[in-house]
Amino acid sequence: MRTFKSFVSKEFKHIFRDKRTLVILFGMPIVLVVLFGFAITTEINNAQIGILNLSKDSYSVKLENKIVSSGYFKINNELQSYKQISELFSKGNVKLVVVIPDKFGKNLINNKNVNIQVITDASDPNTANILSNYLSAIIHDFSNEENIITQSNIIINTELLYNPENKSVYMFVPGVMTIILMLISAMMTSITIAREKELGTMEILLVSPLKPIIIVIGKIIPYLLLSLINAITILLLGLFVFGMPMNGSYILLGLEILLFVLSSLILGLLISTISNSQQTAMLISLMGLMLPTILLSGFIFPISSMPQILQIISHIIPAKWFIIIIKSIMLKGTGFQPIAIETYILIITTIILTAITIKKFKIRLE
Amino acid sequence: MIKIENISKNYNNVKALKKVSFNVKDGQLFGLIGPDGAGKTSLFRILTTLLIPSEGKASIDNFDTVKNYKEIRRIIGYMPERFSLYMDLTVQENLNFFATVFNTTIEENYDLIKDIYQMLEPFKNRKAGDLSGGMKQKLALSCALIHQPKYLLLDEPTTGVDPVSRKDFWEMLQKLQTKGLTTLVSTPFMDDAELCDEVALIQNGEIMSIDSPKNITQKYPHKLWEIITLNNYHTLKILDNFTNKISAFAFGNAIHLACSEKTNKEDIESFLAQNNIKAKSIKIINPRIEDAFMELMT
């Protein structure tokens, strides 16, 4: 026990005496969360659109006003005829054109079908998709307000559950929090062991009666504490800078974070067993963890639209499950029951990772 | 006793050690002498249980280095080639840490490290990274001794240390020997070898000779001359044509020339004169361990 305490206190001394580590530990999460939070966003404001209003009655003008007042769209051009549409697109500024048909108001009052045509520039499919979704929502809203049943062909049934304003921050902040937590935790532990190898102190530790388990736990405990401090920082940023709601229990969230951080720390240890220098450890953590995690956690690209094989691979990525958990707790305010499966998967992953790490932990130099 | 029997170690296709065998008797100060890349570090790592030999076996105090590695790790003190200290911890913190790793305290073993520790005491609160090479070496030795090991294994402890610290260090080793410690030390410096009870000369993974330093030099078969000229490099090249020459090597500011028995001073002088070389001094010397080593190497 005395040995263990002394080991942990040694680790803390390393951390607090190395300014670079401290900056990475506490500065990087803040910078990354802010950067990612603001930069990776699919939210579009003031998109330039064209409107071809063929009826020009009070209803159609009202709809036009509603579209503009949403803040997502800005009318670039009021068109007069169909011919002008392709001309406008070819200039390239306009992403979308709305065509309001002849006798719009009249048909609405008479409960006839109204077809509103939306033409988007699909050379940028993501933007086109998002814009048409926005627009559908607005038109849907409009028809509800007017309390008339419209059956226009463009109204796609988009239900924006839990994110009624379709704020992308709600989608991204949990993802960013997850990635940063994972990265910092894994990188820190992998670097700290690689450093001992690089300096040769690992040789001395091995040639001592110190048990590997003491080394492993001794390395994890300090970084577990630091990662929790990091998690709190990131959480505060999410709540106060990005305006994430917190509808669930802080205790549950805390426990889930603890579990996820633990699995990341162990992942870091596993990386350190295959890397002999700090650089390798850092590179493996960055390339080997960050890329697959960003790509396959469902954080940027929806998993459901991936090829089957990638969907299968995505299941082994702890971050994927943690993102689901954190979103459920923070946005939906769920208790443990709905996220039990995800939690169990994380627990099992952690146990498997621990087993592999202990098995791979070398008691010798080769 | 440290027993090494037919130890071989291969790294892929490189044979680092080839059937090495020797024993270090209890209480001995044993030197392993050889150039860089001779296999010294591999042998140390096998003895310290860090590597598994490809062939053969080794034991310390009858504990096998592979099977009983846990027992061995308790009774040896090891100082790797690079002084493995925590550079961001102070002298005191390093010592305390290594003491607790071995479940002991500085006070408990103060007796063994007293002399060395007293030299370090003024720098007790300085970070290990800010110490001079000699001080780092003393600290590393203290850390290796902190748990009163029976066997001390030092891998090139004097590399990168100034000559004065090197001399101090060897004095410390000899003092430790009087306290009953068995020490195996490796070094590329031949003059260190003369301070050992017994030395093994190692080259390309093979042991070439094991004996006391005195016997090794006595076995040197040739008459040895020391020649000092203005341009030793040039002289060395010219000496290639000297018919009586057996071998010639540059040592420091002199050339050690081994010649056939009948050669006398005049022969050398006249040969050099023929080639327009003026010798500052030519004299017969007693062979030293490095001469014996060079002789064995060629």
Side-chain angles (χ1 to χ4, degrees):
Chain A
M1 199 57 213
R2 202 169 61 93
T3 316
F4 181 68
K5 252 200 230 151
S6 144
F7 197 94
V8 171
S9 94
K10 172 198 83 109
E11 283 307 313
F12 273 117
K13 280 176 195 150
H14 287 324
I15 295 163
F16 289 118
R17 284 178 194 178
D18 184 2
K19 298 228 166 60
R20 211 173 45 168
T21 313
L22 270 186
V23 169
I24 294 175
L25 252 180
F26 293 109
M28 204 164 88
I30 297 174
V31 172
L32 284 181
V33 168
V34 172
L35 261 179
F36 272 75
F38 283 118
I40 305 183
T41 164
T42 51
E43 207 167 292
I44 298 164
N45 289 316
N46 292 325
Q48 305 259 325
I49 62 165
I51 284 199
L52 173 57
N53 191 342
L54 295 173
S55 61
K56 300 257 182 211
D57 53 15
S58 64
Y59 277 104
S60 63
V61 173
K62 213 169 168 184
L63 178 61
E64 249 181 73
N65 285 340
K66 195 168 169 59
I67 292 171
V68 177
S69 65
S70 71
Y72 296 122
F73 302 106
K74 202 174 153 190
I75 294 178
N76 172 287
N77 216 325
E78 294 260 9
L79 304 173
Q80 302 306 323
S81 72
Y82 275 106
K83 279 185 219 155
Q84 288 172 303
I85 294 176
S86 61
E87 229 172 87
L88 193 60
F89 274 125
S90 60
K91 280 189 200 153
N93 295 332
V94 169
K95 300 284 178 205
L96 178 143
V97 170
V98 190
V99 182
I100 301 173
D102 197 13
K103 295 176 198 155
F104 178 68
K106 204 175 159 194
N107 285 341
L108 277 181
I109 295 162
N110 295 336
N111 275 345
K112 281 188 181 165
N113 274 356
V114 180
N115 292 324
I116 291 178
Q117 194 182 5
V118 173
I119 305 163
T120 56
D121 176 2
S123 61
D124 181 357
N126 275 338
T127 314
N129 208 357
I130 291 162
L131 287 180
S132 74
N133 276 343
Y134 283 177
L135 199 67
S136 313
I138 292 167
I139 293 168
H140 196 104
D141 218 27
F142 173 80
S143 69
N144 280 347
E145 267 170 34
E146 298 303 321
N147 203 14
I148 37 177
I149 303 140
T150 40
Q151 280 157 350
S152 43
N153 64 339
I154 50 126
I155 295 176
I156 311 150
N157 196 6
T158 41
E159 244 178 289
L160 304 172
L161 267 182
Y162 311 119
N163 187 4
E165 298 159 72
N166 201 10
K167 266 196 162 179
S168 75
V169 158
Y170 291 3
M171 317 287 280
F172 282 100
V173 171
V176 169
M177 287 168 67
T178 310
I179 303 257
I180 304 300
L181 259 184
M182 171 160 187
L183 206 63
I184 297 283
S185 314
M187 209 152 79
M188 282 304 152
T189 39
S190 66
I191 287 179
T192 169
I193 290 200
R195 187 167 70 167
E196 299 242 7
K197 286 189 191 173
E198 219 174 85
L199 287 174
T201 41
M202 201 65 195
E203 221 170 311
I204 298 273
L205 291 185
L206 287 177
V207 184
S208 74
L210 210 58
K211 289 196 187 82
I213 189 91
I214 301 255
I215 301 180
V216 168
I217 299 176
K219 287 278 178 193
I220 285 181
I221 298 281
Y223 286 103
L224 190 65
L225 287 176
L226 291 173
S227 298
L228 287 181
I229 295 175
N230 259 324
I232 293 169
T233 320
I234 295 172
L235 204 60
L236 290 177
L237 275 176
L239 292 178
F240 296 111
V241 178
F242 294 103
M244 281 284 288
M246 176 56 196
N247 297 322
S249 139
Y250 279 100
I251 295 168
L252 182 61
L253 185 66
L255 289 174
E256 297 282 0
I257 287 177
L258 193 72
L259 175 63
F260 180 65
V261 164
L262 194 64
S263 77
S264 307
L265 289 171
I266 290 167
L267 206 56
L269 281 178
L270 189 59
I271 290 172
S272 74
T273 59
I274 52 168
S275 53
N276 282 318
S277 72
Q278 295 183 65
Q279 267 95 340
T280 337
M282 190 127 93
L283 270 180
I284 297 179
S285 310
L286 275 175
M287 308 293 284
L289 286 187
M290 194 156 133
L291 281 181
T293 308
I294 287 182
L295 295 178
L296 296 175
S297 62
F299 150 49
I300 295 181
F301 309 106
I303 294 170
S304 54
S305 59
M306 283 177 195
Q308 196 69 36
I309 178 95
L310 288 183
Q311 289 196 28
I312 295 169
I313 296 175
S314 76
H315 291 322
I316 59 165
I317 296 198
K320 175 192 157 176
W321 306 109
F322 185 65
I323 290 179
I324 297 173
I325 292 171
I326 196 173
K327 272 187 186 167
S328 301
I329 297 177
M330 292 184 79
L331 300 179
K332 299 187 205 168
T334 51
F336 178 71
Q337 216 48 49
I339 50 170
I341 294 172
E342 284 83 359
T343 310
Y344 293 143
I345 293 175
L346 270 187
I347 292 174
I348 292 167
T349 326
T350 312
I351 292 171
I352 294 174
L353 282 175
T354 314
I356 300 175
T357 309
I358 289 176
K359 202 151 182 277
K360 289 212 85 179
F361 194 86
K362 291 167 192 145
I363 51 158
R364 298 177 202 274
L365 281 180
E366 31 170 34
Chain B
M1 188 153 89
I2 303 177
K3 267 192 212 161
I4 299 161
E5 291 167 57
N6 285 320
I7 290 277
S8 297
K9 178 73 197 170
N10 307 330
Y11 300 103
N12 298 322
N13 289 323
V14 182
K15 288 190 170 132
L17 292 171
K18 300 166 198 160
K19 297 212 174 278
V20 169
S21 304
F22 63 84
N23 291 337
V24 180
K25 291 179 204 87
D26 280 344
Q28 250 187 346
L29 178 57
F30 194 101
L32 188 63
I33 320 291
D36 290 341
K40 300 190 295 289
T41 299
S42 293
L43 187 59
F44 268 87
R45 287 184 169 166
I46 288 171
L47 289 176
T48 51
T49 72
L50 288 170
L51 291 181
I52 295 173
S54 311
E55 265 176 72
K57 57 178 190 174
S59 66
I60 297 179
D61 223 13
N62 287 324
F63 292 120
D64 187 85
T65 53
V66 180
K67 268 183 274 163
N68 310 106
Y69 72 92
K70 280 186 184 153
E71 284 83 358
I72 288 189
R73 288 177 183 190
R74 269 172 224 285
I75 57 167
I76 58 167
Y78 172 45
M79 197 172 139
E81 199 173 343
R82 277 174 310 160
F83 308 135
S84 303
L85 300 160
Y86 292 104
M87 297 302 170
D88 51 349
L89 299 189
T90 63
V91 170
Q92 186 75 33
E93 284 164 344
N94 265 294
L95 274 171
N96 277 331
F97 174 70
F98 285 108
T100 47
V101 160
F102 284 95
N103 246 322
T104 175
T105 55
I106 298 178
E107 292 73 34
E108 248 175 81
N109 300 295
Y110 191 66
D111 184 44
L112 194 63
I113 59 164
K114 195 174 89 189
D115 298 335
I116 314 164
Y117 187 67
Q118 274 168 354
M119 285 187 256
L120 286 167
E121 196 120 48
F123 311 106
K124 173 163 112 169
N125 293 318
R126 196 180 281 190
K127 284 186 185 159
D130 299 336
L131 293 175
S132 67
M135 280 296 166
K136 273 185 200 157
Q137 175 208 40
K138 288 186 185 88
L139 177 57
L141 182 65
S142 310
C143 291
L145 286 171
I146 197 96
H147 57 295
Q148 280 192 309
K150 279 161 90 177
Y151 296 87
L152 193 57
L153 293 111
L154 313 168
D155 191 7
E156 297 202 17
T158 51
T159 304
V161 166
D162 66 273
V164 178
S165 299
R166 217 167 99 193
K167 197 170 150 276
D168 284 351
F169 191 78
W170 277 94
E171 276 168 18
M172 283 185 288
L173 291 189
Q174 284 168 327
K175 218 179 236 171
L176 286 171
Q177 198 190 358
T178 61
K179 293 183 177 159
L181 221 67
T182 309
T183 309
L184 175 63
V185 56
S186 77
T187 174
F189 301 111
M190 307 288 168
D191 40 347
D192 286 347
E194 275 150 27
L195 303 163
C196 299
D197 296 327
E198 202 172 350
V199 294
L201 300 182
I202 184 168
Q203 162 85 357
N204 292 327
E206 280 173 295
I207 299 284
M208 295 184 303
S209 173
I210 303 170
D211 217 329
S212 66
K214 213 172 132 200
N215 285 342
I216 284 185
T217 50
Q218 270 173 7
K219 278 185 203 158
Y220 188 77
H222 313 295
K223 214 175 184 181
L224 198 66
W225 297 84
E226 185 193 70
I227 304 169
I228 301 175
T229 62
L230 284 171
N231 187 345
N232 285 341
Y233 177 67
H234 177 67
T235 315
L236 212 54
K237 276 208 296 197
I238 296 293
L239 278 171
D240 271 347
N241 304 319
F242 186 46
T243 42
N244 292 355
K245 180 198 104 166
I246 291 165
S247 70
F249 295 104
F251 282 105
N253 62 348
I255 292 171
H256 288 192
L257 174 71
C259 290
S260 51
E261 210 50 44
K262 57 181 192 313
T263 316
N264 54 34
K265 196 176 173 181
E266 285 71 39
D267 295 335
I268 301 170
E269 264 174 349
S270 65
F271 174 77
L272 290 178
Q274 274 166 35
N275 289 287
N276 295 322
I277 293 169
K278 214 172 151 193
K280 280 200 222 160
S281 95
I282 299 175
K283 63 180 182 203
I284 285 205
I285 52 165
N286 285 325
R288 297 184 56 191
I289 204 131
E290 51 229 292
D291 298 303
F293 189 80
M294 293 309 249
E295 171 68 19
L296 286 164
M297 253 174 67
T298 44

